[in-house]
Amino acid sequence: MTHQPSTRSQDNPVTVIGLGPMGLALAETLLKKGHPTTVWNRTPGRARDLVARGARLAGSVADAVAAGPLTLVCLKDYPTLYEVLGRDDGASAGRTLVNLNSGTPNEAHAAASWAAERGVSYLDGAVMVPPPLVGDPGSLFLFSGPREVFDAHRATLASLGDPRHLGDDPGLAVLHNAALLGLMYATMNGFLHATALVGSAGVRAAEFADLAVNRFLPTVVDATLAEQAPDLDAGRYPGELGTLHMNLNALEHIARTCEEQGVHTAQPRLMRDIAAQAIEGGHGGSNYLAVFEVFRKAAPHTR
C-alpha cells in the first residue's frame, strides 16, 4: 500500500531559512495556514514577530533543517546557499530542500548535484509574485526537479499559492523566471517609454494608461500573442495582414517621432534594428513575429 502525504497543515512542518522580505512572507503565510514553522536567519532579530505568532526560532542551521522534512531556502543567491547550508553538519541528509533564490540554469544544475552528494532531495523554485501576494491561491510559484519530490510536498507548497511543476530538469524554474521577468521588464519599459512619448505633448500618465493598458494591449497584443504562439513553434509567419517591411516603416516613424519630441530614442531604434536584421535574414515578407528568428540565435560577441 502506497503512503499518501497528508494534506493537513498541522501534519506538514516547514523550515524557512532566510528572512528577507520574501522569506518573512513565506513564513508568515505558512503560520497562517497552520503549518508548524521553524525559522532561521543570520540576524535572529528579524524573527521576533514570527516567534510571537508561534514560529520556532532555531539556534543553528542544522537545528533548523532537522526540525522537519521540508526546508524552504530564500537567500540572495546560490553562493549564499552553499555558505549557509554548509553549516548543517549533515543534518539535511534524507530531507527535502526547496531553493527559492534566483540565478541561472547552470547554477541550478550545480545546486542539484551538490544536494544529491549530500543525500538531499532537491527542488529549484521561483516566486513569481511580490511578498504581499504570497498565500493568494492564484499566486504563481514555479518548481523544477524530480516529480516525485514535488508531489510529496505539493500540499504544503500549495499553501503559498499556485505551485506549477515545470519538469524534472532542475534548471527549468530559474529559466522560466528569467524569461518571465525579462518579459515584465520589456513590457514595463515599453509602457514607460510610450507614456513619456505622449507626455511630451502634456498627456497625463493616468489618462494614457487607461487607453494603453485597459483597451489597446488586451485586444491587440495579448490576443495576438496567445493566438499565434503555435506559429512560433512551427516557424510559420504568414504576412498576408502585414509584412516586416511594413512594420519596419512603422518603427522608423516611431523613432523619428521620438527625435522630434525630444524623447529617448535608443529603445525604438533597437526595435527597428532587430526588425531590419530579420529582413536581412530573408523574412521581409513575413509578419512581425518573424523577429523570433533573430531572438532565438545568439548575437555575435562585440568588444
Side-chain angles (χ1 to χ4, degrees):
M1 183 175 179
T2 303
H3 172 70
Q4 295 296 322
S6 173
T7 59
R8 299 194 315 164
S9 298
Q10 61 266 37
D11 294 334
N12 293 302
V14 190
T15 291
V16 178
I17 291 179
L19 298 178
M22 185 59 73
L24 284 171
L26 297 171
E28 288 169 356
T29 298
L30 291 166
L31 282 170
K32 288 178 184 177
K33 298 293 179 70
H35 293 275
T37 304
T38 299
V39 296
W40 182 90
N41 193 65
R42 282 187 283 197
T43 305
R46 291 188 64 84
R48 186 178 299 110
D49 290 343
L50 292 171
V51 171
R53 299 177 195 178
R56 171 180 172 268
L57 176 61
S60 67
V61 171
D63 180 26
V65 173
L70 178 65
T71 294
L72 307 182
V73 179
C74 193
L75 298 168
K76 176 185 176 184
D77 50 27
Y78 288 87
T80 307
L81 166 74
Y82 302 138
E83 177 189 344
V84 170
L85 268 294
R87 309 174 184 178
D88 73 359
D89 299 323
S92 56
R95 308 195 182 257
T96 296
L97 175 68
V98 178
N99 184 25
L100 295 173
N101 57 245
S102 61
T104 71
N106 283 346
E107 288 180 309
H109 286 125
S113 297
W114 173 86
E117 291 170 358
R118 288 158 178 77
V120 177
S121 297
Y122 181 85
L123 291 175
D124 214 88
V127 185
M128 304 310 301
V129 294
L133 294 182
V134 171
D136 188 298
S139 293
L140 186 59
F141 281 70
L142 305 179
F143 300 97
S144 56
R147 179 78 200 205
E148 62 272 16
V149 177
F150 173 78
D151 287 342
H153 299 285
R154 182 182 187 123
T156 299
L157 298 175
S159 292
L160 303 173
D162 178 12
R164 301 290 184 93
H165 183 255
L166 301 174
D168 289 344
D169 179 346
L172 284 172
V174 290
L175 179 63
H176 279 71
N177 180 60
L180 291 170
L181 289 181
L183 173 63
M184 179 191 75
Y185 286 119
T187 303
M188 291 179 69
N189 281 352
F191 170 75
L192 294 172
H193 185 272
T195 303
L197 184 55
V198 296
S200 68
V203 178
R204 295 174 59 250
E207 178 184 347
F208 180 66
D210 178 62
L211 184 67
V213 178
N214 297 330
R215 301 295 299 277
F216 180 73
L217 287 177
T219 57
V220 177
V221 179
D222 295 354
T224 297
L225 293 179
E227 179 182 339
Q228 297 185 8
D231 287 340
L232 299 182
D233 293 323
R236 182 176 59 244
Y237 316 108
E240 290 85 357
L241 300 180
T243 67
L244 255 177
H245 281 296
M246 295 170 59
N247 281 279
L248 182 62
N249 188 49
L251 289 165
E252 180 60 38
H253 292 161
I254 295 169
R256 285 169 50 196
T257 299
C258 291
E259 290 177 355
E260 287 184 7
Q261 298 298 114
V263 174
H264 198 272
T265 62
Q267 184 165 277
R269 289 196 175 282
L270 175 60
M271 293 190 294
R272 181 198 62 186
D273 292 346
I274 291 169
Q277 288 180 51
I279 291 173
E280 291 170 5
H283 298 286
S286 302
N287 66 37
Y288 186 77
L289 294 188
V291 300
F292 183 58
E293 298 298 330
V294 176
F295 289 135
R296 66 196 299 184
K297 298 171 184 173
H301 291 288
T302 58
R303 289 183 176 273

